[in-house]
Amino acid sequence: MKVLKTVGIFISIGISLVCNAQITKTNPVKITEKAPFEYVAEQFADIKVLRYQIPGWENLTLKEQKLVYYLTQAGYSGRDIAWDQHYMYNLKIRKALENIHQNYRGDKTTEDWKNFEIYLKRVWFASGIHHHYSNDKIKPDFSKDYFTTLMKATKTSLSPTITDVIFNDADAKKVNLDESKGLLQGSAINFYDKGITAKEVEDFYAKKTSPDSSKPYSFGLNSKLVRNSKGQLEEKIWKSGGMYGAAIDKIVYWLEKAKSVAENKKQGDALGLLVNYYKTGSLKTWDDYNIAWVQATDGNIDYINSFIEVYNDPLGYRGSYESIVQIKDFDMSAKMEVISKNAQWFEDNSPLFPEHKKKNVVGVSYKTVVVAGESGDSSPATPIGVNLPNADWIRAAHGSKSVSLGNILESYAKAGGKGRLQEFANDTDEIALAVKYAELGDKMHTALHEVIGHASGQINPGVGTPKETLKSYASTLEEGRADLVGLYYVYNPKLQEFGLVDDWKKLGMESYDSYIRNGLMTQLIRLQLGANVEEAHMRNRQWVSAWVFEKGKADNVIEKISRDGKTYFNITDYDKLHDLFGQLLREVQRIKSEGDYASGKALVENYGVKVDQKLHAEVLERNKQFVSAPYSGFINPVLVPKLDAKGKIISIEVQQPKSFAEQMLQYSKNYGYLPLVN
């Protein structure tokens, strides 16, 4: 599970290719230590592209640097898998757009050409033609006739059907969660053949059983479900020799090189199991790998690589490809380790029903890390915190790993502005709290969300997994549940007793202010007027905030204030709000523990989907004054190996790419391993 960065609170490469001693030449821009680091690379549409540094790189041994390099190469090698997963025509469209970009020799001063470039950058950022957050299809601000002219001028080939898709309303939503439109019929995600219904999928997997029912396999995680020539459903497994095999073979190549420089036996054994999983597609091996990976806690280098998060599947089965390579931040990890060491205290003192509490919270490890490279569904838009594995039974029996991406948070903080805070905060006291405590409050909420939130609670015996019981609502309910754990404990004197904060009350007050302000108001800047909330994290922030706002009306816990034609939310009683968060947490855990689909659906649909259109229009109007884009993502630093006369790596240098476009084009050139149709 991942935490994404959003407005006000955390919810949640141009690489030189070394193979057979050959290096692909690049022209990265070196940023010297003397010059101020340029965190903002560029901005377009609703996107701000940032850079991040890799502090402490020079302190790693050459062996450790090689491990990081090989792992990033493995991650980038699977990049096109995510593109194809997002939409069946993405790779063809990207090839056409990039060919035009590189070969057009006409007038590049026109508005049409500028809009073409912006459209291409938006598609690059989203890894496809659907917005990375809203899931809506990105509409070009140029005409089909102009696009046809560009194709003719550059001898670009794209079928009329696919050309039409760019401009029409077909496949308008990458992930549709509106059941009235059909969860699959209304989704453009490339996980299922057209025409397959949700009922058929449920029936297909209902027939599959695991050898041990207490250790259920993650059925559907690494495959596309298709209809064969006989009309029967079958899986196309993502593995070596199977679907996406060409890219997976490259991933395997680099993972095996990484295994050769592993820091210790446990880390090497885990990498070996991941390689075996990619070669066989065995879900049993996937479970074995996750157990081994969770237990490999020693060493300075770690990674995430495979088909993991299921947010992009409206039915919650199939994992999107992603990769994050990370280096331990020793100072911050030591400070935050106290949370994981006291996980049992948090569980014992939670407001959950006794039968839903874990009697023994196992092996929760928490680290602040420095990101060295991201790919797939983690790039360019990145999480800021991750907790894995996702299988509840593995988490219960073997524990989990939680990480906070420290240098990503640093870049957000250095590149961000405070204008929106002054506009939407209720008063000067709220602003003062945010200025002093927002950064630490965000870090604390992220840590509590990941380490305690996702690791807490247990499912009742005999109740199926959330994707089986809660279905399309499983993701937003899980993220909301973890958010509620963080909210319940971020306002608690125990944090000060643990030495994590100097004033728990003020930090907690700021966290509550920012969460409510964002959940009820400022996150709406990400939506077009008239739209419903679709993305799982946005939904959970709204249903959490809207529920406590409604339940606290009798005591006026949260005031809705209108002043000079502007709306503000003011918390009048933080203690009562804390109790309300606890009540909602208890109910959401009950829903998960009992598999109560009806209650889960009612909670999300009643509080998390519909938007107050009058307030939304007001928020959008107030936001017009700010030039900073509402969404941010990153280009990756470039790891450049230096070779000796025998072709062996003798050092690896960190450089920065010139631009977003340069990096995207180099990725397509260096890691375009898949055919255009898979």
Side-chain angles (χ1 to χ4, degrees):
M1 287 118 179
K2 60 177 69 171
V3 181
L4 303 181
K5 179 71 168 70
T6 188
V7 180
I9 190 164
F10 294 128
I11 305 302
S12 122
I13 304 171
I15 293 292
S16 302
L17 181 63
V18 174
C19 183
N20 297 325
Q22 299 295 315
I23 294 185
T24 301
K25 295 182 179 180
T26 62
N27 295 302
V29 171
K30 295 182 180 180
I31 297 181
T32 65
E33 292 182 359
K34 294 181 181 180
F37 187 78
E38 296 291 338
Y39 286 96
V40 180
E42 62 181 292
Q43 182 170 307
F44 50 86
D46 58 353
I47 301 297
K48 184 163 57 178
V49 179
L50 308 179
R51 293 185 174 94
Y52 63 89
Q53 298 174 289
I54 310 179
W57 176 259
E58 66 281 359
N59 297 326
L60 297 179
T61 67
L62 178 58
K63 183 180 178 182
E64 289 171 330
Q65 291 182 353
K66 286 181 180 179
L67 177 59
V68 172
Y69 177 72
Y70 296 148
L71 288 171
T72 56
Q73 290 294 309
Y76 303 141
S77 296
R79 170 181 182 253
D80 279 2
I81 295 175
W83 278 78
D84 192 72
Q85 288 178 325
H86 289 173
Y87 186 51
M88 61 182 173
Y89 296 140
N90 273 340
L91 292 176
K92 287 187 175 183
I93 292 172
R94 188 187 75 192
K95 181 180 180 181
L97 296 175
E98 290 179 347
N99 188 66
I100 292 170
H101 177 79
Q102 292 176 292
N103 295 295
Y104 183 61
R105 299 294 179 263
D107 188 352
K108 295 185 178 181
T109 64
T110 67
E111 285 301 309
D112 277 336
W113 176 257
K114 292 176 183 177
N115 288 332
F116 170 80
E117 288 191 313
I118 289 172
Y119 178 71
L120 173 56
K121 289 177 181 180
R122 294 183 73 190
V123 171
W124 275 334
F125 191 89
S127 298
I129 66 169
H130 295 87
H131 195 277
H132 75 285
Y133 210 89
S134 73
N135 287 310
D136 293 327
K137 189 158 66 172
I138 302 168
K139 293 296 183 70
D141 288 325
F142 53 86
S143 69
K144 182 180 175 184
D145 288 342
Y146 179 70
F147 185 64
T148 301
T149 300
L150 293 179
M151 287 198 294
K152 288 180 179 178
T154 55
K155 298 181 181 180
T156 300
S157 176
L158 196 63
S159 75
T161 298
I162 302 176
T163 300
D164 288 343
V165 162
I166 295 175
F167 297 92
N168 65 25
D169 293 326
D171 297 328
K173 202 82 171 176
K174 182 174 72 175
V175 182
N176 166 58
L177 297 176
D178 184 347
E179 291 182 328
S180 68
K181 298 177 182 177
L183 294 177
L184 297 188
Q185 291 91 324
S187 298
I189 196 78
N190 191 24
F191 286 152
Y192 302 90
D193 266 356
K194 292 291 185 181
I196 295 176
T197 67
K199 179 65 164 56
E200 286 182 295
V201 177
E202 291 175 6
D203 291 344
F204 179 83
Y205 287 109
K207 297 174 183 176
K208 291 185 175 290
T209 58
S210 304
D212 184 344
S213 60
S214 67
K215 301 176 180 180
Y217 291 161
S218 300
F219 290 119
L221 185 69
N222 64 336
S223 67
K224 178 178 179 178
L225 196 62
V226 302
R227 199 182 301 277
N228 63 25
S229 59
K230 297 179 180 179
Q232 300 169 329
L233 298 188
E234 63 180 30
E235 293 178 316
K236 290 177 67 175
I237 307 297
W238 304 328
K239 66 173 183 174
S240 180
M243 189 172 179
Y244 301 139
I248 289 173
D249 286 343
K250 293 294 184 180
I251 296 172
V252 167
Y253 169 82
W254 289 108
L255 289 178
E256 287 179 331
K257 292 184 76 67
K259 184 176 183 294
S260 72
V261 291
E263 296 177 274
N264 51 66
K265 186 177 186 302
K266 284 187 175 181
Q267 188 184 70
D269 289 345
L271 284 165
L273 284 167
L274 181 56
V275 166
N276 191 35
Y277 168 63
Y278 272 129
K279 288 181 176 180
T280 65
S282 165
L283 293 175
K284 170 64 166 62
T285 303
W286 172 245
D287 288 344
D288 292 342
Y289 160 70
N290 275 281
I291 294 169
W293 176 79
V294 163
Q295 295 173 344
T297 55
D298 294 331
N300 300 330
I301 315 301
D302 210 345
Y303 62 94
I304 294 162
N305 183 298
S306 198
F307 315 111
I308 299 173
E309 304 291 359
V310 297
Y311 303 121
N312 284 327
D313 183 353
L315 302 184
Y317 285 93
R318 311 194 125 69
S320 297
Y321 175 80
E322 69 172 299
S323 171
I324 303 175
V325 182
Q326 56 212 33
I327 304 164
K328 185 175 180 180
D329 181 327
F330 297 97
D331 181 53
M332 283 304 300
S333 293
K335 291 179 180 178
M336 303 303 282
E337 190 178 1
V338 65
I339 294 178
S340 58
K341 285 186 175 180
N342 287 278
Q344 192 64 55
W345 181 90
F346 288 104
E347 185 77 351
D348 292 343
N349 289 275
S350 74
L352 306 184
F353 290 116
E355 62 269 26
H356 298 156
K357 294 182 182 182
K358 286 181 179 175
K359 303 300 183 288
N360 183 28
V361 180
V362 177
V364 181
S365 68
Y366 181 78
K367 295 178 182 178
T368 298
V369 299
V370 172
V371 172
E374 299 180 309
S375 182
D377 228 38
S378 292
S379 180
T382 173
I384 53 139
V386 182
N387 179 279
L388 292 172
N390 285 332
D392 281 295
W393 73 266
I394 295 179
R395 302 163 72 85
H398 302 281
S400 61
K401 284 182 181 177
S402 292
V403 295
S404 175
L405 310 185
N407 56 336
I408 297 296
L409 293 172
E410 174 80 4
S411 290
Y412 276 130
K414 293 293 176 62
K418 294 183 171 60
R420 287 193 181 95
L421 172 64
Q422 276 77 6
E423 174 61 37
F424 292 101
N426 178 54
D427 54 30
T428 55
D429 289 341
E430 191 173 315
I431 293 170
L433 279 176
V435 170
K436 186 170 184 179
Y437 292 104
E439 186 174 352
L440 179 57
D442 283 342
K443 290 180 179 178
M444 289 306 307
H445 186 263
T446 300
L448 292 165
H449 172 114
E450 292 293 351
V451 182
I452 307 303
H454 285 309
S456 70
Q458 61 184 2
I459 296 174
N460 292 356
V463 174
T465 62
K467 73 179 178 184
E468 296 169 325
T469 59
L470 304 179
K471 302 179 182 181
S472 61
Y473 299 100
S475 291
T476 189
L477 287 169
E478 175 58 25
E479 292 305 318
R481 191 184 68 85
D483 258 6
L484 285 162
V485 172
L487 290 165
Y488 187 76
Y489 282 117
V490 79
Y491 186 79
N492 192 299
K494 199 71 173 179
L495 296 186
Q496 194 163 336
E497 182 182 323
F498 285 151
L500 297 172
V501 300
D502 60 4
D503 190 326
W504 69 268
K505 198 173 189 70
K506 288 183 178 179
L507 179 132
M509 290 168 63
E510 192 287 323
S511 295
Y512 282 13
D513 288 341
S514 59
Y515 195 92
I516 295 301
R517 184 172 63 245
N518 185 51
L520 293 180
M521 190 162 53
T522 55
Q523 73 170 357
L524 296 178
I525 69 172
R526 297 184 163 204
L527 296 179
Q528 292 183 351
L529 188 62
N532 289 331
V533 183
E534 295 284 349
E535 198 276 333
H537 298 80
M538 282 188 71
R539 279 188 168 188
N540 91 242
R541 292 189 292 272
Q542 179 167 298
W543 62 252
V544 168
S545 301
W547 189 94
V548 295
F549 175 68
E550 180 183 285
K551 301 303 179 184
K553 279 184 177 179
D555 295 322
N556 199 32
V557 175
I558 303 172
E559 294 179 310
K560 184 177 181 181
I561 299 171
S562 180
R563 186 170 61 246
D564 300 326
K566 296 180 179 181
T567 301
Y568 303 91
F569 290 92
N570 180 53
I571 300 170
T572 65
D573 194 321
Y574 292 90
D575 291 335
K576 287 184 178 179
L577 181 55
H578 173 263
D579 291 341
L580 287 171
F581 282 137
Q583 292 174 32
L584 183 55
L585 171 58
R586 181 166 55 244
E587 170 61 8
V588 176
Q589 181 61 58
R590 183 199 66 77
I591 289 171
K592 179 180 179 180
S593 296
E594 298 177 1
D596 186 349
Y597 173 80
S599 295
K601 177 181 179 180
L603 178 61
V604 176
E605 293 290 344
N606 290 338
Y607 295 97
V609 177
K610 299 298 180 182
V611 175
D612 180 333
Q613 295 303 311
K614 183 179 178 181
L615 177 61
H616 191 187
E618 176 199 320
V619 168
L620 293 177
E621 183 63 30
R622 292 167 68 181
N623 189 63
K624 285 181 179 178
Q625 63 185 294
F626 304 111
V627 297
S628 180
Y631 300 100
S632 296
F634 293 84
I635 45 179
N636 292 296
V638 185
L639 302 182
V640 183
K642 305 296 181 182
L643 307 183
D644 64 14
K646 296 181 180 179
K648 293 183 178 180
I649 297 176
I650 55 175
S651 66
I652 300 175
E653 183 180 354
V654 178
Q655 300 179 5
Q656 294 287 337
K658 286 180 179 178
S659 66
F660 182 50
E662 178 197 66
Q663 183 152 98
M664 294 298 101
L665 291 170
Q666 288 182 350
Y667 282 177
S668 293
K669 178 182 178 181
N670 293 342
Y671 306 104
Y673 298 124
L674 292 182
L676 300 181
V677 179
N678 294 277

